[in-house]
Amino acid sequence: MLQRIYGTSWASQKDLDEYLKRIEEAEKRDHRKLGREMDLFHFREESPGSVFWHEKGWKLFQKLVTYMRDRQNKAGYKEVNTPEILDRALWEKSGHWEKYGEHMYTSQTPDKKIFVIKPMNCPGHVQVFNQGLKSYRDLPLRISEFGKVHRYEPSGALHGLLRVRAFTQDDAHIFCTEDQITEECLIVTNLILDIYKDLGFENVILKYSDRPDLRVGDDGVWDKAEKALLDAVKASKLEYTINKGEGAFYGPKIEFVLRDAIGRDWQCGTLQVDLNLPGRLDASFVDNDGTKKVPVMLHRALFGSLERFIGILIENYAGKFPFWIAPLQVVVIPISEEFDAYAKEVNEKINDVGMSSEVDLKNHNLNYKIREHSLSKIPLLLICGKKEVDSNSVTIRRLDTNKQENMELNLFLEKFSALNKASSN
RNA sequence: GCCCUUGUAGCUCAGCUGGUAGAGCAAUUGAUUUGUAAUCAAUAGGUCCGCGGUUCGACUCCGUGCGGGGGCACCA
């Protein structure tokens, strides 16, 4: 019988203590624990690897989608929506059925047809591209979708929000000419890094994978595609690794990797050049010489999986989100029943200007409420008592400080609604 | 999927060698009306993950299924 033994060893008690402390800190940041404590989401046996989003978690999710949609609109993407289930025949034609069929969910209709519950959005996007005759003047054409995909991942691979069986991709496919690959790759890379910065990630690890032995497409185009991607990687000036020969059979790729609380790496964003699928699914455009050509397709996802990204985001901030993405930003606390009416009025005004606020009218004292809402990581607590009512103001207590700051209510509304968006906007 | 491990109240956990469960917090109700991190009291809350087996008797022992955790493999 073979027995595997794990262990760690340390030069001194001090090193060991530091190690244990680090583990303890990491456990506090664990998104599964915080997800429960902060009432963001849960999982159930009935659907392993699929998220039940609660109100606050879903609000966070929606905020990220809204933010991304805005960034993508500004970057020239056309948002579409494609079917959740598509005939198996399409997946056979694309080549996915043969390679990943084992990991696909399928659904049989009463008339005995087999439909695949989509594990990716690309075949759907090619169908949209194929509608109508496309000219070289239409390129680059950037088609995006917040597409929910299902993949039957091995049970042992599941891990909270970081590895699930149903997830939402901020997916897009850029149809372009070979000459446009370089510029488009640079634009995508810059967009990803800019967005990650807005969300507090400065240390992104890039992994670049080039041509494998078994591949499609001619070497001239591979040369172009690889150079374009590598240039994009270099331009980022970030740490990167080269995984020789580990690209997809259809093209080279970059992975944008973020790290969780205990140091595990997770691929979030990705950028891949595809020299195969457009041809297999009959995509074409009329070039300036009047001939039909097959476009190159770039697959890209910025967050990658919304679910995974949120998991990492929770761990990165230890649940203490920046004001603009916190799902519940403000809790208004009256000192006693006497001030309930004022607190309600304050709460309403805050919600009216687009922040999310709740008022805590429960029968508990101030100390108790401050403790509760601090533990649930609400960025701002507004205390309302006699002083505030008399001066039409609020007393602000920010998360993780015990300083108090009194502010006239209208000034508060003005100041904080201005802070209610990402720094780059 | 594989190896190891684990499953008791909403949460965190007790429950000795088998005799059908208990605490703290949360919840509910009442009292208190509180000025910056836990006011007091009462009440309620459980198919001990599911299914089989052993036994007079199973939360406890055995088998099996499902889920969780850590690793491995996988990750379009």
Side-chain angles (χ1 to χ4, degrees):
Chain A
M1 185 181 138
L2 274 176
Q3 174 86 44
R4 197 190 307 236
I5 311 270
Y6 295 95
T8 54
S9 63
W10 304 94
S12 67
Q13 184 66 39
K14 192 171 153 245
D15 288 355
L16 175 61
D17 289 347
E18 276 171 14
Y19 168 76
L20 291 174
K21 190 156 181 215
R22 220 165 45 238
I23 298 282
E24 201 186 311
E25 282 302 305
E27 277 172 8
K28 279 191 207 153
R29 289 173 171 259
D30 190 313
H31 75 280
R32 294 163 296 192
K33 184 177 155 71
L34 289 171
R36 188 175 52 242
E37 289 174 359
M38 298 174 73
D39 194 17
L40 301 175
F41 59 84
H42 83 277
F43 289 92
R44 292 186 59 79
E45 265 184 47
E46 289 85 346
S47 189
S50 294
V51 189
F52 287 79
W53 286 105
H54 300 187
E55 187 199 350
K56 281 186 205 156
W58 190 241
K59 191 160 236 168
L60 176 57
F61 190 109
Q62 293 296 346
K63 283 189 173 198
L64 290 177
V65 168
T66 301
Y67 165 76
M68 183 60 80
R69 178 171 284 136
D70 182 54
R71 295 298 308 252
Q72 288 187 159
N73 284 344
K74 285 177 180 157
Y77 287 84
K78 316 286 184 200
E79 186 176 330
V80 303
N81 193 265
T82 62
E84 308 297 316
I85 60 173
L86 288 157
D87 197 307
R88 181 175 70 180
L90 179 65
W91 303 96
E92 284 168 348
K93 191 171 180 187
S94 73
H96 292 109
W97 181 262
E98 194 191 351
K99 201 162 159 56
Y100 293 108
E102 297 275 287
H103 298 279
M104 288 180 184
Y105 286 93
T106 55
S107 163
Q108 196 184 59
T109 50
D111 61 358
K112 307 289 178 226
K113 281 186 186 160
I114 304 283
F115 288 85
V116 170
I117 301 167
K118 68 176 174 182
M120 54 197 316
N121 306 298
C122 11
H125 289 184
V126 176
Q127 305 316 308
V128 173
F129 178 87
N130 286 355
Q131 290 301 299
L133 199 56
K134 294 294 182 299
S135 148
Y136 73 97
R137 293 174 189 279
D138 295 319
L139 308 184
L141 185 61
R142 309 180 188 90
I143 298 179
S144 70
E145 175 171 5
F146 292 94
K148 186 162 190 179
V149 296
H150 289 74
R151 298 175 182 180
Y152 185 71
E153 303 287 10
S155 58
L158 301 180
H159 184 91
L161 291 177
L162 303 184
R163 188 77 183 271
V164 289
R165 284 180 174 161
F167 57 100
T168 309
Q169 291 181 312
D170 57 334
D171 205 1
H173 295 89
I174 301 173
F175 295 87
C176 64
T177 66
E178 288 171 17
D179 292 337
Q180 291 168 333
I181 298 174
T182 302
E183 196 186 344
E184 285 303 310
C185 286
L186 264 172
I187 294 173
V188 168
T189 304
N190 288 335
L191 183 59
I192 291 188
L193 296 175
D194 197 46
I195 282 167
Y196 282 17
K197 211 165 148 189
D198 267 357
L199 288 152
F201 297 105
E202 305 271 353
N203 295 320
V204 187
I205 304 149
L206 272 58
K207 293 186 181 169
Y208 166 79
S209 305
D210 64 6
R211 71 189 76 182
D213 291 337
L214 279 174
R215 61 179 182 269
V216 298
D218 55 68
D219 284 357
V221 185
W222 272 91
D223 288 344
K224 206 175 276 185
E226 285 179 351
K227 182 169 184 312
L229 277 181
L230 196 55
D231 283 352
V233 169
K234 284 178 180 161
S236 74
K237 298 197 173 64
L238 289 168
E239 180 193 335
Y240 67 92
T241 59
I242 295 185
N243 300 342
K244 266 215 129 2
E246 297 205 3
F249 72 94
Y250 53 74
K253 66 175 174 185
I254 311 178
E255 292 169 30
F256 296 80
V257 173
L258 296 177
R259 203 157 267 178
D260 72 11
I262 62 169
R264 279 183 288 213
D265 285 346
W266 299 91
Q267 179 203 306
C268 291
T270 182
L271 170 56
Q272 303 169 13
V273 183
D274 188 341
L275 312 168
N276 177 56
L277 199 61
R280 282 189 83 130
L281 296 181
D282 310 318
S284 68
F285 67 97
V286 180
D287 208 349
N288 60 1
D289 60 5
T291 62
K292 270 197 173 179
K293 289 194 177 142
V294 177
V296 172
M297 183 162 97
L298 308 182
H299 304 243
R300 48 106 288 185
L302 310 185
F303 290 144
S305 146
L306 265 295
E307 284 75 0
R308 174 178 291 178
F309 195 86
I310 289 172
I312 300 268
L313 196 67
I314 292 169
E315 302 203 353
N316 190 50
Y317 284 118
K320 295 171 184 174
F321 299 115
F323 186 69
W324 70 281
I325 36 174
L328 180 57
Q329 298 168 300
V330 180
V331 171
V332 185
I333 306 174
I335 294 274
S336 75
E337 269 175 20
E338 196 185 330
F339 312 107
D340 281 5
Y342 181 70
K344 279 192 219 169
E345 187 190 323
V346 168
N347 177 60
E348 210 168 295
K349 284 185 175 166
I350 295 170
N351 281 305
D352 283 350
V353 297
M355 291 183 268
S356 61
S357 171
E358 280 176 10
V359 56
D360 183 352
L361 302 176
K362 279 201 282 257
N363 183 13
H364 278 125
N365 62 28
L366 182 59
N367 279 341
Y368 182 91
K369 290 182 182 180
I370 286 184
R371 181 182 154 81
E372 282 297 287
H373 299 302
S374 297
L375 287 175
S376 59
K377 302 173 174 53
I378 308 301
L380 293 183
L381 302 182
L382 300 188
I383 317 300
C384 298
K386 181 161 186 350
K387 201 170 74 188
E388 289 75 17
V389 171
D390 288 348
S391 58
N392 199 36
S393 67
V394 290
T395 294
I396 305 165
R397 181 184 166 123
R398 291 168 195 258
L399 185 57
D400 280 340
T401 72
N402 49 19
K403 276 186 293 186
Q404 299 162 48
E405 185 187 352
N406 187 262
M407 195 179 286
E408 205 271 316
L409 180 57
N410 286 329
L411 182 60
F412 169 84
L413 293 171
E414 189 185 318
K415 221 172 148 178
F416 281 86
S417 46
L419 289 174
N420 196 15
K421 57 187 179 189
S423 55
S424 68
N425 281 5

